[in-house]
Amino acid sequence: MAKYLYKLGEWASRKRRQVVFGWIAILIVAAIGVGSVGITFNDDMSIPGTKAEKAMDVLNKEFPHGHDSGGQIKLIFKAPEGQTLESPSTHKKVEDILNLVPKDKAVESIASPYQARTISENKEIGYATITYKVSADKVTDASKNKIKDIAKLAKKDGIQTEIGGTVAFSHVKIGGASELMGIVIAFGILAFTFASFLAAGLPIITAIIGLGIGAIGILISSNFFSVQATSLSLASMIGLAVGIDYALFIISRHRQQLAQGLDVKESIARATATAGSAVVFAGLTVIVALCGLSVVGIPFLTSMGLSAAFSVLVVMLVSITLIPALLGMFGHRLIPKRKKHLASKKALVDKKTNESNTWGRFVTRYPVQIVLVCLIVTGIISSPMLHMELGLPDNGMKSKETIERRAYDLMAEGFGAGINGPLVVVLDGSQSADAQVAFANVAKELNDLPNVSSVSPPSPNQSGEFAMITVLPKTGPNDSKTKDLVTNIREKGESINKDEKVNLMVTGATAVNIDISDKLSEALPQFAAFIVIFALLLLLVVFRSILVPIKAVLGFLMTLIATLGFSVFVLQDGHFIDFFGIPEAGPLLNFMPVLTTGILFGLAMDYEVFLVSRMREDYTHLGDAKKSILSSVKHSGPVVTAAGLIMISVFASFIFAEDATMKATGLSMAFGVLFDAFVVRLTLVPAVMTLLGRSSWYFPKWLERIIPNIDIEGESLIKEQKEKKLKKPIYEK
């Protein structure tokens, strides 16, 4: 591997203009392409095959016209203080407002609160339902703007008017302040690390180019595959973070070699061969982990994983080609002004200082105590995970400034929290002797269940063999009592099927949410097993060691449970939500554990490869386990620190995004990287490696013979140099 990357780095630096302009040309062509085909996102978060989805299929089949197939907007009215919606003046104003709606030809029907009797018990709040001829996602912006204008007129008349329903008025913003904030912070960290604005700018430039090509590729693919807007945001988050980090590792190695007096062209080739090898394997690890999300068998998770994997692939390719080209263009201008790494008489005298730093000496001096502290800290942070609840964010978890949240709150005020998460029960009475009587009996039994606010009369289809009932819970969609109600209805359905010969199925947003959470919970062990096995095999090949892969996987598991514990502590339990700008506490995203497992595994292995590959490289040449640890902590530690801070800043910037999914993901990933980089990789790993000593690198001879040698340390280059009798060895003791 190192030999091929050496040649690639040499070629890229020699053909630097062609490489630079080639990547820019790809970016321009991709931008023209997306301008031609447009963007078509599909934000469907369903999972085919779940109980709720099967019930929805039956509902759509048996109630093709009676079921709400068109998009709906609810205009929610609250009477002025001291009046009700039935007060003559208020009644007239509401009717006058609703008479403006039919002017939009896209409207199929209007059900006023007076016709549909959708007025609260105190008569103060009610809602009109506007149904469109097209599905919710096809309702045009022009139609939405007309509704907004109508709502403004109602407010001028003193009637509080909010907009709800299935038609979305807020959308996930693509790009913006979050990415910009992360880039600015990353540039500051790079400038401090390199002590050079020029060197700091290169990783930013290459990451933006790589991210731009990756993001545009995802936008184009949305026309051919089912891609969610969240997938693009996630891909941008991960692509930007790893793109900057990968460039950082190669440039750092190059500058270290320049400071040692190495020729620019030779240094570029060697940096690409050594640091570039680590980048390739770290990148492939992230890609496989993200692609592994498809193992779960959930369409929207597969889309997220593949989109992010594509973004990482592009930035990885940019790192090992565009970076060497740019390094060649800037040549000697990248030589560090402060030649800290240049061997001097003082450094030769004080070998201890030259081969280690304060942190490395501290960790290797107290390894047992440090391991115990890390385990205790992990246990404390991860403890909230024991009461983790999963769900999907609803409009009640959005900011109070949004249209959806205001509508959610007003509906809950007038009709109870359950109005925002009604359950639809589909009854199959095709096997019943008297289906209509059986349907009525089922409705009575459902009404007697705990936490039921109301049950609508059965609404049969044309054949009379199927009926639809709406069950309104007393609690909101994400309340645990509502989830218990869905379970109770399904359990009740088993006895009803025996007694009444009626098959009962539950659907609706809450039921779908529960089924998705259950499906993801079942898939997590399967996915985690895939990740662990893959990690062990990969690291076995990379490091040619038995204990290093086991240690790496255990460290990753510590990071995972600590991250989930922290996420529960903040997002679910509500601690520090004001500090992080999170509108409301609520259950964790139901796909967060699986998504976190995939992303954190890839990133954790990044740092493992970058840090331990340097240990392996030093051990190969020095033969001293402790010295290799000290050397790695000194030379790779600062780079891993900078890389971790950059990744944290990029992820943390997404906490300020408007979308609840990106907020939660950004917060979890930022903490996960913080914990993994500084607690696990830079603290626990050196301590454990110290305790293991030379046994860290034990590898049976029979495995040595059958496992391929991928050579990320550049051993093949050393042999080649010896054969050619080069004056300067690739590795200088």
Side-chain angles (χ1 to χ4, degrees):
M1 175 61 72
K3 188 185 297 184
Y4 296 113
L5 288 175
Y6 180 92
K7 293 178 180 178
L8 178 64
E10 191 178 43
W11 172 83
S13 64
R14 189 173 67 252
K15 302 288 186 179
R16 47 188 173 271
R17 293 185 183 277
Q18 292 94 319
V19 173
V20 171
F21 289 117
W23 278 113
I24 293 174
I26 293 173
L27 180 61
I28 293 172
V29 170
I32 295 172
V34 76
S36 303
V37 300
I39 307 169
T40 308
F41 283 128
N42 179 8
D43 289 327
D44 180 22
M45 303 285 277
S46 62
I47 302 179
T50 60
K51 293 179 181 179
E53 284 296 319
K54 289 178 180 177
M56 185 63 72
D57 291 340
V58 173
L59 190 65
N60 292 331
K61 179 182 177 182
E62 300 299 334
F63 297 84
H65 303 294
H67 182 54
D68 302 323
S69 56
Q72 288 188 338
I73 290 179
K74 285 183 170 62
L75 275 177
I76 310 155
F77 304 103
K78 183 175 183 180
E81 190 173 349
Q83 297 185 38
T84 68
L85 290 178
E86 294 184 347
S87 300
S89 60
T90 304
H91 189 148
K92 184 178 184 306
K93 289 177 182 178
V94 171
E95 291 286 10
D96 290 343
I97 289 296
L98 292 177
N99 286 336
L100 298 174
V101 176
K103 293 182 179 180
D104 185 354
K105 295 180 180 179
V107 173
E108 176 74 27
S109 63
I110 305 169
S112 78
Y114 307 104
Q115 295 171 331
R117 297 182 181 179
T118 50
I119 299 178
S120 62
E121 289 185 9
N122 61 12
K123 312 297 182 183
E124 292 180 359
I125 298 173
Y127 63 89
T129 302
I130 304 167
T131 304
Y132 287 82
K133 298 175 182 177
V134 294
S135 59
D137 59 326
K138 297 289 174 51
V139 176
T140 64
D141 289 336
S143 293
K144 294 178 187 179
N145 290 332
K146 287 179 182 178
I147 295 297
K148 287 181 180 180
D149 293 339
I150 289 171
K152 288 178 182 178
L153 290 175
K155 289 178 182 178
K156 286 182 180 179
D157 286 338
I159 301 172
Q160 181 184 346
T161 307
E162 306 298 346
I163 304 171
T166 61
V167 177
F169 280 79
S170 299
H171 300 281
V172 178
K173 291 186 177 180
I174 302 170
S178 298
E179 289 89 336
L180 182 61
M181 186 184 302
I183 290 171
V184 170
I185 297 173
F187 180 77
I189 296 170
L190 289 167
F192 178 80
T193 302
F194 289 138
S196 165
F197 288 115
L198 176 60
L202 293 183
I204 301 296
I205 293 170
T206 56
I208 291 175
I209 291 174
L211 177 61
I213 295 171
I216 292 172
I218 294 169
L219 293 176
I220 293 174
S221 71
S222 69
N223 292 277
F224 309 99
F225 306 100
S226 177
V227 179
Q228 293 78 25
T230 306
S231 297
L232 178 63
S233 298
L234 182 67
S236 300
M237 181 194 298
I238 297 173
L240 181 61
V242 300
I244 295 174
D245 276 6
Y246 292 169
L248 165 66
F249 285 113
I250 295 174
I251 294 172
S252 297
R253 189 60 175 258
H254 174 59
R255 282 165 58 86
Q256 286 177 18
Q257 293 169 166
L258 289 178
Q260 293 171 351
L262 202 64
D263 176 70
V264 172
K265 292 181 180 179
E266 180 67 16
S267 178
I268 294 171
R270 293 183 185 184
T272 309
T274 51
S277 292
V279 165
V280 169
F281 278 94
L284 290 176
T285 303
V286 178
I287 290 168
V288 172
L290 291 169
C291 290
L293 289 171
S294 59
V295 173
V296 178
I298 297 173
F300 69 85
L301 265 184
T302 300
S303 172
M304 289 182 181
L306 294 179
S307 297
F310 176 73
S311 181
V312 172
L313 175 63
V314 174
V315 297
M316 182 187 75
L317 293 175
V318 167
S319 297
I320 60 176
T321 54
L322 184 58
I323 286 291
L326 291 174
L327 294 179
M329 290 182 71
F330 291 105
H332 292 86
R333 281 178 283 180
L334 291 173
I335 297 177
K337 294 180 180 179
R338 299 175 298 176
K339 297 185 179 180
K340 290 185 176 181
H341 302 287
L342 184 61
S344 62
K345 291 182 180 180
K346 182 180 179 181
L348 291 172
V349 172
D350 190 2
K351 288 186 179 180
K352 183 178 180 181
T353 303
N354 188 47
E355 295 174 355
S356 66
N357 60 10
T358 304
W359 181 247
R361 292 193 295 273
F362 171 75
V363 173
T364 54
R365 186 177 299 170
Y366 306 105
V368 175
Q369 296 90 327
I370 286 174
V371 169
L372 290 175
V373 170
C374 289
L375 292 175
I376 292 170
V377 169
T378 303
I380 293 172
I381 296 176
S382 61
S383 59
M385 190 184 71
L386 296 174
H387 60 270
M388 180 172 65
E389 294 181 9
L390 301 178
L392 276 175
D394 56 26
N395 291 335
M397 294 176 65
K398 291 186 176 182
S399 168
K400 293 182 179 179
E401 312 300 321
T402 61
I403 293 173
E404 289 84 358
R405 175 62 187 276
R406 293 196 300 268
Y408 183 99
D409 289 343
L410 190 56
M411 287 289 282
E413 180 185 342
F415 302 94
I419 191 68
N420 291 304
L423 304 175
V424 179
V425 180
V426 183
L427 306 178
D428 179 0
S430 56
Q431 303 299 318
S432 176
D434 191 339
Q436 303 308 312
V437 173
F439 294 157
N441 292 336
V442 171
K444 289 179 182 178
E445 292 192 49
L446 293 180
N447 198 40
D448 293 335
L449 290 175
N451 198 40
V452 172
S453 176
S454 65
V455 176
S456 70
S459 176
N461 68 342
Q462 289 184 345
S463 68
E465 293 183 347
F466 289 83
M468 179 174 62
I469 294 176
T470 301
V471 177
L472 201 64
K474 293 179 181 178
T475 48
N478 272 316
D479 195 291
S480 59
K481 292 181 180 178
T482 305
K483 297 176 183 178
D484 292 339
L485 176 58
V486 173
T487 303
N488 291 337
I489 292 175
R490 285 174 173 167
E491 290 176 352
K492 189 72 173 176
E494 295 177 6
S495 61
I496 287 174
N497 196 12
K498 293 178 182 178
D499 299 337
E500 303 288 347
K501 303 298 181 184
V502 173
N503 185 26
L504 185 150
M505 297 165 281
V506 187
T507 188
T510 303
V512 170
N513 180 2
I514 293 171
D515 287 351
I516 291 176
S517 300
D518 291 344
K519 179 78 173 176
L520 288 165
S521 297
E522 293 172 6
L524 182 58
Q526 177 187 1
F527 180 60
F530 165 79
I531 286 294
V532 168
I533 293 171
F534 171 73
L536 290 172
L537 293 175
L538 174 77
L539 296 177
L540 187 74
V541 174
V542 172
F543 295 124
R544 311 188 77 73
S545 164
I546 299 295
L547 296 178
V548 168
I550 295 173
K551 176 263 309 171
V553 168
L554 292 176
F556 159 68
L557 293 176
M558 287 175 62
T559 297
L560 178 62
I561 61 174
T563 301
L564 293 177
F566 175 79
S567 300
V568 171
F569 182 74
V570 176
L571 299 170
Q572 180 179 309
D573 297 343
H575 300 286
F576 305 114
I577 58 173
D578 292 336
F579 176 78
F580 290 114
I582 297 168
E584 293 289 339
L588 258 63
L589 284 167
N590 50 25
F591 56 85
M592 180 176 283
V594 174
L595 193 64
T596 300
T597 301
I599 297 174
L600 277 184
F601 167 75
L603 301 181
M605 293 307 103
D606 266 12
Y607 297 129
E608 182 74 14
V609 170
F610 288 128
L611 187 67
V612 182
S613 63
R614 184 59 184 255
M615 291 184 191
R616 170 74 180 174
E617 183 180 345
D618 291 347
Y619 180 76
T620 300
H621 301 290
L622 298 174
D624 189 313
K626 187 174 181 179
K627 283 185 178 180
S628 69
I629 296 169
L630 292 169
S631 177
S632 178
V633 172
K634 179 182 179 181
H635 295 103
S636 294
V639 182
V640 171
T641 299
L645 291 173
I646 288 168
M647 201 167 281
I648 291 166
S649 66
V650 172
F651 286 150
S653 67
F654 280 81
I655 297 172
F656 304 99
E658 294 182 8
D659 182 60
T661 300
M662 297 317 299
K663 272 182 174 290
T665 305
L667 178 65
S668 299
M669 292 301 104
F671 177 83
V673 172
L674 172 69
F675 188 89
D676 190 81
F678 296 101
V679 177
V680 176
R681 306 302 155 190
L682 289 174
T683 305
L684 182 66
V685 167
V688 172
M689 297 286 280
T690 301
L691 292 174
L692 295 175
R694 294 177 65 90
S695 61
S696 298
W697 305 111
Y698 168 73
F699 201 57
K701 291 183 179 179
W702 63 272
L703 268 179
E704 184 80 36
R705 289 192 296 269
I706 63 175
I707 296 295
N709 188 357
I710 56 176
D711 183 26
I712 67 170
E713 294 89 16
E715 292 181 37
S716 59
L717 291 175
I718 298 170
K719 291 180 180 178
E720 190 174 301
Q721 283 191 330
K722 286 181 178 179
E723 291 173 1
K724 293 181 179 179
K725 297 181 180 180
L726 294 179
K727 295 180 180 180
K728 289 182 178 292
I730 189 169
Y731 183 87
E732 295 182 10
K733 294 184 180 180

